[in-house]
Amino acid sequence: MNKNKFMESYIENLQRITLKNFAETSDKDRYFALCDTIMELINQEWRNCKNRTRRSRKAYYFSAEFLVGRSLGNNLINLGIYDEVKEILSEIDIDFESIENFEDDAALGNGGLGRLAACFMDSAATQKLDMYGYGVRYREGLFKQKIENGFQVEGGDHWIKDGDGWSIRVESDSKIVKFRDQTVKAVPYDMPMLGFENEQVNTLRLWQAEPFEEFDFSYFNNFQYDKAVEEKNRAEDITRVLYPNDMQREGRVLRLKQQYFFCSASIQDMVSKYKRYFDHDLQFEDFSKYHIIQLNDTHPIIAIPELIRVLVDENGIEFERAVEITKNTFAFTNHTVLQEALESWPKDIMLEVCPRCFDIIKKLNENLVKEFKEKGLSEEAIDPYRIIRFDQVRMANLAIVMSKSVNGVAKLHTQILKDDTFKNWYKLMPEKFNNKTNGITPRRWLVYSNIKLSNFITEKLGSDDWKYDLTKLKDLEKYLDDEKTLEEINQIKFENKKELAKYILENEGISINPNSIFDIQVKRIHEYKRQHLNLLHIINLYHKLKKNPDMDFYPTTFILGGKAAPGYFRAKAIIKLANEIARVINNDEEVNDKIKVVFVNNYRVSYGEKLFPAADISEQISTAGKEASGTGNMKFMLNGALTLGTYDGANIEIFENAGVENNYLFGAKVEELNEIYDSYNPKEFYYKNEDIKDAVDTLLSGELNDNDSYMFLDIYNCLINPQGGEKADTYFVLKDFEDYKKTHEKINKEYSDRLTWARKSLKNIANAGYFSSDRTILEYAKDIWKL
Ligand code: F55
């Protein structure tokens, strides 16, 4: 990059878009001008990539969510010009951080599933894989969380209200999407996905719904302006807002409309390009030679009947042939074993949204049933396989029949899919099933967010090759017994903790001690993730410190954060509980130099970038068997935190790679929980264990105040006093409490041996290489996509 040219074009852009003199421009102006300048810089390479890959085999990642976060810093890192641009800006007295903070997160996802898609985009480009992302351009991303009097309050997230510096509207590639009762225009917005220092620029294409005709002039001419506006709104409603549920299907018509909307537009886009670029001897049989579609969970599965529809209805292909082509085109990833998340759509809703797709699904179901009957299976034996049963379309079944690959996202998770969730399918078609353990991009989650550690690694390894091949971190092990290195590791962590402490003081108004242990749990709030186990333990610890002020105890700061789905009462109760515990403890002068509790407000990608580098302990405490993989666990590990975790999801692989002795494993294993499932009685634990009783009773003792919301009663009830046929403590919080507590005691003791701790930390960093999404995406490319 030519520095002078960059500066020149930046100033020019700034003045052109604002019509202001430089001194008069705002941070917002400066941010958008910088986006423009960077977009100009990558334009050529982006076009080159588009042209070069026109006729190549490509992977298409279909996802209802891409949780991209901010792009400025990450794009500069991937272009290799982060330091230079910072310098250029400081030469003209612009503080990079303040314009960086102007950027709103693109929060077009709920959590892990959406963030994984974003990490995959980064890694695919970095590995020079031609992968295209297809999704939805929600006008409102995931709601903003505010905390009022300890309660979560949701606010809007109109993330593009000031503009969108990272997208190009490609009007000419618009598609028409037809619903039963409505026809809308799908307009693509393309975001560049940059590879790390390698000139590859892939495309993330997000579709926005707009009225087919801007104004229906028949209404207009009849002076029915409101009718005309109504139609416009009805179209725009489709992509107005991201549904804020994770792990809970949403059975609304509008949700299926969103799904069909982006899937239909994407399939049309693929087919029309195929016809455009391959037209000399068009063979639709070859479609699957050039396209492989990876379905990110059940949300985009409607793309399957849509491809058949486009092939049959719009291109005159015979149904059976279309089915064969389709079967070779799709692959399916599952992200959860929780039954309440597996989507099924009532026939009536499907008929209301996309009747022709329902037709096709019905036919696929009939063919399947026929095939099974010919094989001699009884009606009953066929039941688990039916795509449609009791007038419900079971999306996972549709995907499994029609895909060439089905994968889980961590070893244990894939095993559970085979043994349990999809066991019938596995018996029938074992060859389809495979595992792809998740990963995270080291560019965002280390190079960008933890500059100090990143520079330190480069210095120690004598090169920055590790940024391209994260397994090279293994070479750090030669420093395991080098005291100076270990002290440096501690020092870097301390610096990061000071920065976080400053940020938390500014944003949460709570002052925390960077010399205390930073114990962090950030993720969506859900019973299976057991934030309430964390909180019950804090309550009990607080009481112990009150009773015994001279107890040997290393000061600890417990940090929690995450959003609750707006309709998930119990998750909101957990948030209230966290805030109430924080209020009581932080105001108690007898203990608040020993423990502090912070519930960080509005946890999101850009907050995570500040939290992961500063953690000593990574809390990964889900009920064994329930967290498919987790990816936050990997972000903590890569930044040198030790995992306090159950034998679940990718934690298991973290323990395997870094050594269980360098982390803190606790709790019951899946096999044990399966065994005791029917006989489990949490009351036994409650009566036998004083600490459990103390913590649980505190929910109702009056020491904590839930402002008459009955929220704490709800948590109490779900643990030991189940209501209306519910099972008590389905997530085994009380069962695992004692082991959790003991493990915390061990951590608290061992932390004071600072060098031994640093050694464990280094062990984790050095063995985090496996968890790069570069590795994951290469496995998809090799095993499934054959790219
Ligand atoms: C979003 C919407 C619906 Cl309707 C259902 C689920 C979700 C969702 O966000 N799921 C999700 O985030 N799943 C997570 O996927 C991660 C990536 O594979 C896993 O690491 C994590 O264990 C899993 O819970």
Side-chain angles (χ1 to χ4, degrees):
M1 185 190 63
N2 181 319
K3 257 171 115 175
N4 290 334
K5 232 179 105 191
F6 188 93
M7 170 119 70
E8 234 170 71
S9 93
Y10 176 58
I11 304 255
E12 208 178 283
N13 281 333
L14 186 54
Q15 297 177 335
R16 178 176 51 81
I17 62 178
T18 61
L19 263 182
K20 294 178 194 166
N21 300 319
F22 176 76
E24 299 165 305
T25 56
S26 65
D27 280 351
K28 178 173 126 188
D29 300 332
R30 293 168 179 197
Y31 163 73
F32 280 109
L34 190 53
C35 295
D36 279 9
T37 311
I38 295 166
M39 287 293 262
E40 279 163 19
L41 198 67
I42 62 185
N43 185 281
Q44 171 93 49
E45 281 162 10
W46 197 2
R47 277 183 294 121
N48 287 348
C49 276
K50 284 200 172 188
N51 293 334
R52 177 179 57 73
T53 61
R54 273 207 175 128
R55 292 172 61 101
S56 65
R57 174 171 171 83
K58 288 193 283 291
Y60 296 84
Y61 203 78
F62 275 41
S63 179
E65 306 189 359
F66 285 89
L67 218 184
V68 174
R70 288 177 174 165
S71 291
L72 175 58
N74 196 248
N75 283 346
L76 291 174
I77 291 281
N78 283 11
L79 287 168
I81 58 173
Y82 183 84
D83 292 330
E84 275 168 292
V85 168
K86 243 178 150 166
E87 244 174 68
I88 294 173
L89 293 178
S90 79
E91 280 169 31
I92 48 176
D93 263 350
I94 294 181
D95 173 38
F96 182 70
E97 210 178 304
S98 54
I99 49 174
E100 200 175 25
N101 283 331
F102 189 81
E103 183 172 5
D104 271 323
D105 281 37
L108 309 183
N110 274 284
L113 170 152
R115 182 54 233 178
L116 184 73
C119 282
F120 282 178
M121 293 309 301
D122 182 286
S123 282
T126 296
Q127 295 305 322
K128 287 188 168 281
L129 297 169
D130 300 328
M131 185 177 94
Y132 216 94
Y134 274 124
V136 184
R137 189 170 192 259
Y138 303 103
R139 181 173 180 269
E140 303 268 342
L142 183 61
F143 67 87
K144 281 200 176 119
Q145 177 189 61
K146 281 174 283 188
I147 301 296
E148 287 176 13
N149 195 22
F151 296 100
Q152 169 174 294
V153 175
E154 299 88 19
D157 176 47
H158 190 355
W159 64 290
I160 38 187
K161 62 176 179 306
D162 296 313
D164 172 0
W166 302 113
S167 294
I168 297 194
R169 180 182 168 98
V170 190
E171 184 77 41
S172 58
D173 278 0
S174 295
K175 297 286 174 290
I176 302 300
V177 176
K178 287 188 178 148
F179 302 99
R180 188 186 59 81
D181 60 343
Q182 186 183 16
T183 298
V184 303
K185 188 166 75 167
V187 185
Y189 281 73
D190 286 0
M191 294 181 86
M193 296 285 127
L194 310 181
F196 180 63
E197 297 184 345
N198 72 353
E199 327 218 312
Q200 175 95 5
V201 185
N202 286 342
T203 299
L204 172 57
R205 173 160 278 195
L206 302 178
W207 299 97
Q208 173 168 295
E210 296 183 10
F212 176 45
E213 287 169 311
E214 195 53 39
F215 261 116
D216 186 329
F217 284 97
S218 57
Y219 290 134
F220 199 67
N221 292 334
N222 288 320
F223 305 102
Q224 291 177 286
Y225 306 116
D226 45 350
K227 259 249 162 82
V229 172
E230 234 171 72
E231 273 306 298
K232 180 174 190 293
N233 285 341
R234 220 163 75 83
E236 289 173 357
D237 278 345
I238 294 170
T239 54
R240 193 171 305 281
V241 61
L242 166 78
Y243 278 100
N245 304 333
D246 70 324
M247 318 314 293
Q248 177 77 31
R249 62 178 160 259
E250 173 66 71
R252 281 180 226 258
V253 172
L254 187 62
R255 169 72 174 176
L256 184 61
K257 273 195 166 176
Q258 277 185 349
Q259 297 181 352
Y260 182 65
F261 168 77
F262 93 88
C263 289
S264 175
S266 307
I267 292 287
Q268 290 183 54
D269 199 29
M270 290 168 64
V271 171
S272 72
K273 279 186 189 148
Y274 184 62
K275 286 159 74 166
R276 195 172 338 142
Y277 300 124
F278 295 75
D279 59 356
H280 51 284
D281 55 353
L282 194 67
Q283 291 281 339
F284 268 103
E285 266 68 18
D286 288 346
F287 186 80
S288 62
K289 268 200 205 159
Y290 295 100
H291 306 86
I292 174 80
I293 300 175
Q294 191 70 42
L295 299 169
N296 199 22
D297 216 273
T298 52
H299 325 137
I301 288 174
I302 197 71
I304 291 173
E306 178 64 4
L307 176 58
I308 298 177
R309 185 191 70 77
V310 170
L311 293 177
V312 172
D313 296 3
E314 293 179 5
N315 293 279
I317 295 182
E318 219 183 301
F319 187 81
E320 297 308 327
R321 279 177 64 204
V323 169
E324 279 318 300
I325 295 166
T326 304
K327 276 186 168 171
N328 285 317
T329 303
F330 283 93
F332 168 55
T333 306
N334 168 282
H335 294 265
T336 183
V337 300
L338 296 195
Q339 284 304 318
E340 60 269 32
L342 282 188
E343 282 184 307
S344 64
W345 287 103
K347 173 183 171 182
D348 293 342
I349 290 189
M350 261 204 188
L351 287 174
E352 199 177 325
V353 174
C354 46
R356 179 62 180 135
C357 280
F358 181 77
D359 244 29
I360 290 166
I361 294 169
K362 212 172 116 195
K363 210 154 163 196
L364 292 171
N365 186 49
E366 284 163 8
N367 290 351
L368 183 77
V369 171
K370 193 166 143 243
E371 195 186 308
F372 281 141
K373 282 195 178 148
E374 281 166 7
K375 277 192 192 156
L377 269 79
S378 67
E379 290 281 343
E380 221 180 26
I382 298 172
D383 280 346
Y385 300 101
R386 287 177 203 277
I387 303 172
I388 305 174
R389 193 165 182 227
F390 305 133
D391 280 340
Q392 296 271 332
V393 180
R394 306 192 288 185
M395 300 306 273
N397 283 7
L398 173 58
I400 298 171
V401 186
M402 296 299 295
S403 296
K404 55 189 233 177
S405 160
V406 177
N407 77 279
V409 291
K411 269 200 260 173
L412 175 69
H413 170 57
T414 300
Q415 199 55 48
I416 294 173
L417 293 183
K418 292 178 180 176
D419 295 346
D420 192 14
T421 320
F422 299 142
K423 62 169 184 278
N424 294 297
W425 289 108
Y426 179 62
K427 260 186 261 161
L428 214 63
M429 35 189 86
E431 69 291 344
K432 276 192 190 180
F433 286 75
N434 63 94
N435 175 246
K436 295 286 167 285
T437 297
N438 283 165
I440 55 166
T441 167
R443 270 73 61 186
R444 180 177 295 267
W445 298 113
L446 179 54
V447 180
Y448 167 67
S449 58
N450 195 346
I451 297 171
K452 290 191 183 82
L453 183 58
S454 175
N455 289 341
F456 167 83
I457 292 170
T458 300
E459 186 197 308
K460 289 289 163 191
L461 296 181
S463 126
D464 73 349
D465 288 355
W466 61 272
K467 296 175 183 168
Y468 306 85
D469 173 4
L470 201 66
T471 59
K472 294 227 156 85
L473 292 181
K474 188 81 183 170
D475 292 344
L476 289 170
E477 288 201 339
K478 64 178 177 235
Y479 295 104
L480 277 175
D481 297 309
D482 179 47
E483 258 187 45
K484 184 175 152 275
T485 304
L486 297 177
E487 267 158 16
E488 283 171 322
I489 291 215
N490 280 338
Q491 189 57 33
I492 289 168
K493 184 63 79 181
F494 182 62
E495 299 294 330
N496 290 337
K497 286 163 76 175
K498 280 198 292 195
E499 266 176 48
L500 178 63
K502 183 164 168 271
Y503 188 81
I504 284 182
L505 182 60
E506 279 161 16
N507 286 273
E508 321 296 346
I510 300 172
S511 131
I512 58 177
N513 173 8
N515 282 304
S516 64
I517 302 172
F518 278 19
D519 175 306
I520 309 186
Q521 185 179 25
V522 284
K523 49 180 79 250
R524 287 299 289 254
I525 311 293
H526 200 290
E527 287 164 275
Y528 87 78
K529 296 178 188 282
R530 300 201 296 193
Q531 283 93 353
H532 48 334
L533 172 58
N534 189 345
L535 294 171
L536 288 171
H537 171 257
I538 296 172
I539 292 175
N540 181 239
L541 179 63
Y542 168 57
H543 287 163
K544 279 198 184 124
L545 284 167
K546 289 286 278 184
K547 251 193 250 152
N548 191 355
D550 298 325
M551 178 174 115
D552 209 5
F553 182 74
Y554 206 104
T556 303
T557 304
F558 295 96
I559 300 172
L560 295 96
K563 292 175 184 178
Y568 188 177
F569 182 81
R570 196 164 290 159
K572 289 183 146 177
I574 290 171
I575 291 178
K576 174 66 179 168
L577 181 61
N579 282 301
E580 180 60 8
I581 292 171
R583 188 186 65 80
V584 170
I585 293 181
N586 299 346
N587 289 309
D588 187 336
E589 305 244 301
E590 275 174 34
V591 298
N592 67 13
D593 57 341
K594 298 195 193 88
I595 41 175
K596 278 265 168 80
V597 180
V598 181
F599 185 85
V600 301
N601 180 33
N602 201 30
Y603 173 62
R604 59 197 183 281
V605 171
S606 58
Y607 212 137
E609 289 160 3
K610 303 183 165 69
L611 289 159
F612 297 116
D616 295 306
I617 285 290
S618 154
E619 296 256 3
Q620 307 299 336
I621 61 178
S622 53
T623 310
K626 298 298 181 195
E627 188 69 272
S629 162
T631 45
N633 47 4
M634 303 167 187
K635 295 163 197 167
F636 281 113
M637 177 199 196
L638 181 60
N639 284 278
L642 278 49
T643 299
L644 164 54
T646 47
Y647 210 71
D648 197 19
N651 296 352
I652 297 174
E653 289 160 74
I654 288 178
F655 296 137
E656 277 173 11
N657 277 276
V660 71
E661 69 283 4
N662 300 303
N663 287 288
Y664 296 95
L665 168 64
F666 79 98
K669 306 221 156 71
V670 196
E671 298 79 25
E672 187 189 353
L673 295 181
N674 285 340
E675 240 166 69
I676 64 161
Y677 188 84
D678 290 321
S679 63
Y680 176 56
N681 180 7
K683 278 210 169 120
E684 282 173 24
F685 291 87
Y686 171 83
Y687 284 118
K688 257 195 239 148
N689 186 309
E690 273 178 34
D691 291 324
I692 295 178
K693 189 162 185 311
D694 162 64
V696 172
D697 285 348
T698 304
L699 293 169
L700 300 184
S701 70
E703 183 182 355
L704 300 171
N705 183 352
D706 71 1
N707 306 91
D708 300 323
S709 61
Y710 295 98
M711 282 180 158
F712 298 168
L713 176 63
D714 182 63
I715 296 174
Y716 178 93
N717 284 344
C718 91
L719 293 173
I720 55 166
N721 185 25
Q723 305 291 300
E726 207 189 354
K727 234 173 107 59
D729 194 15
T730 31
Y731 294 104
F732 300 98
V733 171
L734 303 196
K735 169 153 179 65
D736 278 346
F737 184 94
E738 180 64 19
D739 198 11
Y740 182 60
K741 184 195 79 187
K742 286 213 170 107
T743 311
H744 262 299
E745 284 166 4
K746 191 160 168 239
I747 288 169
N748 199 270
K749 237 185 233 115
E750 293 183 355
Y751 189 80
S752 40
D753 182 351
R754 302 301 299 122
L755 281 184
T756 306
W757 188 277
R759 193 176 188 282
K760 293 178 178 177
S761 174
L762 182 56
K763 257 283 193 185
N764 274 281
I765 299 167
N767 290 285
Y770 180 74
F771 301 102
S772 168
S773 46
D774 294 351
R775 187 266 313 152
T776 313
I777 210 74
L778 284 171
E779 286 180 5
Y780 276 92
K782 180 166 166 288
D783 304 343
I784 306 175
W785 304 343
K786 318 278 185 210
L787 282 193

